[in-house]
Amino acid sequence: MKKIVLLSMCALLSITLQAQKSLFKALEANGENAIYEGFTGISPNGDGSCNFGRSLPKVKVNIVRIANGIPVGFVGKPVAKDWGEIGETELSDYGRMDSYPLTMSMKHTRTKEGYVVVDEIIFVLDKISDNDMPSVNDITKIYALVKNAETTTKKKKKKGGFLTKMKNKLNSIGLSSTHKYLKSLNLVDKFTNYVIAMQAKQAAYKLTAKDKSDIAKIKAARNAGDAEIKRYNDSIKATPEYKDLQRRIKQNEQNYQSAKARNTVTLRNNTGSTIYVGKSGSRNPGTRIDSGSTATWSCDTNAYLQVKTKSGGSNNYSTTNTKVYSANSGCGATIDIN
């Protein structure tokens, strides 16, 4: 009888190992451009289920691949917000997968933040320690595949009576079908069982010749990152469109400098001390010009020296009758103030 029980347990373990999908296989099964709804503020209930304090922007997830379709990461772009991107890739400086081809997790090797994908759920962990299994205690966010009409990114006009409006309001604060689905799961067991089974599956797996070839290609793509970026940038710079853009930028700068020369004059201070230059009658501080320095002045405006006066306990500036520049007399030129 004990043998039968043992055989049954072994068979169950074998089925469990076979059922576990790698990170990329799970994402592939969910489909390209799949939309996931996110939640954070996780608090366990003690029975394996969890509550969530806050919803996160929905993201559209795609797998990042290199030549021959080899997966090297994934990215989740927000569908209706300008924040909330998720994902990691081997092509970044510090993104790494824990194993290939049976990838269980991806993480940033400096921050240690990482991802585990179990079926239709993306778990975000704030830490995956080196040489250790991902822990359920480090999960900070959870994204679940949206399977119904929630996948649309277009806002529909809210119609109907009180109950419909109340339903829409509940959905808007995170009580969506996806939220209810997540709350119904034993997420602790789902995550923990997956990690244990995948670790055993990885340990039992023997790399094939194709696997070794793929790993070499992944490393080559990662190492060629900077060179590839330069190659792409150089190819863009060689296009007629880019060259024309640079020509127009240069022409615009020339036009600006010409207009500036026509409309301004440069005042150089040769007096040996800092001076202020202002408009006639002005009591506000004008343009400061340190000794030996220059300043730009409007070509069509008279310029007068200013002096500081003390009145009412505060410093004021008074424009003198000493004119240092006459309007329209030196447009584009440099005028010395001695």
Side-chain angles (χ1 to χ4, degrees):
M1 185 68 177
K2 289 183 179 179
K3 289 183 179 180
I4 296 175
V5 173
L6 182 59
L7 289 172
S8 298
M9 291 179 64
C10 289
L12 179 60
L13 178 59
S14 176
I15 293 172
T16 301
L17 290 178
Q18 291 297 324
Q20 306 306 321
K21 298 186 183 75
S22 70
L23 183 147
F24 297 115
K25 290 297 183 184
L27 292 177
E28 286 176 353
N30 296 335
E32 288 290 329
N33 296 312
I35 294 178
Y36 297 75
E37 185 176 359
F39 303 91
T40 188
I42 303 169
S43 56
N45 292 321
D47 59 356
S49 65
C50 298
N51 289 322
F52 307 95
R54 186 164 60 90
S55 61
L56 297 167
K58 292 178 182 177
V59 293
K60 181 181 294 184
V61 173
N62 287 289
I63 298 173
V64 178
R65 303 176 188 273
I66 59 172
N68 300 326
I70 301 171
V72 293
F74 75 96
V75 61
K77 297 280 190 180
V79 297
K81 301 286 184 179
D82 58 1
W83 64 277
E85 180 174 322
I86 64 171
E88 193 59 78
T89 169
E90 284 266 344
L91 301 182
S92 68
D93 289 339
Y94 300 102
R96 298 294 182 267
M97 50 182 105
D98 67 330
S99 180
Y100 183 88
L102 300 182
T103 304
M104 173 170 58
S105 67
M106 289 203 72
K107 73 174 183 181
H108 190 284
T109 57
R110 292 194 66 178
T111 66
K112 308 303 181 184
E113 182 180 71
Y115 302 87
V116 173
V117 181
V118 185
D119 298 327
E120 74 283 14
I121 299 174
I122 301 173
F123 293 91
V124 184
L125 294 80
D126 67 350
K127 178 183 66 176
I128 300 179
S129 300
D130 294 336
N131 303 317
D132 202 359
M133 290 194 302
S135 171
V136 71
N137 297 320
D138 295 320
I139 297 171
T140 57
K141 304 170 187 174
I142 294 178
Y143 288 79
L145 178 68
V146 176
K147 298 180 179 179
N148 55 26
E150 295 174 52
T151 56
T152 180
T153 60
K154 295 181 179 179
K155 294 182 179 180
K156 295 182 179 180
K157 186 176 181 180
K158 298 177 181 179
K159 298 180 180 180
F162 175 78
L163 292 178
T164 299
K165 292 179 180 179
M166 181 58 68
K167 181 179 178 181
N168 289 331
K169 184 176 181 180
L170 290 175
N171 284 338
S172 70
I173 61 174
L175 300 181
S176 60
S177 299
T178 308
H179 177 267
K180 295 172 186 175
Y181 167 68
L182 278 179
K183 283 175 61 68
S184 71
L185 297 178
N186 187 326
L187 292 170
V188 174
D189 282 355
K190 188 176 184 70
F191 181 86
T192 304
N193 292 341
Y194 172 82
V195 169
I196 293 173
M198 275 300 292
Q199 188 184 46
K201 194 171 182 179
Q202 287 177 344
Y205 186 78
K206 302 298 182 184
L207 290 175
T208 67
K210 181 181 183 305
D211 295 334
K212 294 177 182 179
S213 175
D214 287 350
I215 291 171
K217 291 174 182 176
I218 291 171
K219 290 181 179 179
R222 187 169 66 223
N223 294 334
D226 291 342
E228 180 63 20
I229 291 172
K230 184 179 184 305
R231 185 201 65 76
Y232 176 78
N233 288 340
D234 289 345
S235 70
I236 293 297
K237 291 177 181 179
T239 63
E241 292 81 7
Y242 182 86
K243 292 178 178 178
D244 182 62
L245 174 63
Q246 295 307 304
R247 180 191 61 76
R248 286 185 281 118
I249 290 174
K250 184 177 181 180
Q251 185 63 55
N252 287 340
E253 177 63 20
Q254 291 175 346
N255 293 341
Y256 167 74
Q257 293 299 335
S258 296
K260 181 179 178 181
R262 291 193 302 271
N263 298 323
T264 61
V265 60
T266 299
L267 303 179
R268 179 187 290 122
N269 177 10
N270 297 328
T271 65
S273 61
T274 297
I275 62 173
Y276 286 83
V277 175
K279 297 178 181 179
S280 176
S282 174
R283 295 185 61 81
N284 295 318
T287 299
R288 172 175 170 157
I289 312 176
D290 292 327
S291 177
S293 298
T294 61
T296 299
W297 184 261
S298 179
C299 178
D300 60 358
T301 304
N302 292 326
Y304 297 84
L305 286 180
Q306 289 184 315
V307 294
K308 278 187 178 181
T309 61
K310 194 160 187 176
S311 176
S314 62
N315 290 328
N316 288 319
Y317 291 78
S318 176
T319 300
T320 69
N321 293 324
T322 303
K323 183 188 290 186
V324 294
Y325 172 72
S326 297
N328 299 314
S329 65
C331 300
T334 297
I335 304 298
D336 290 322
I337 301 176
N338 300 312

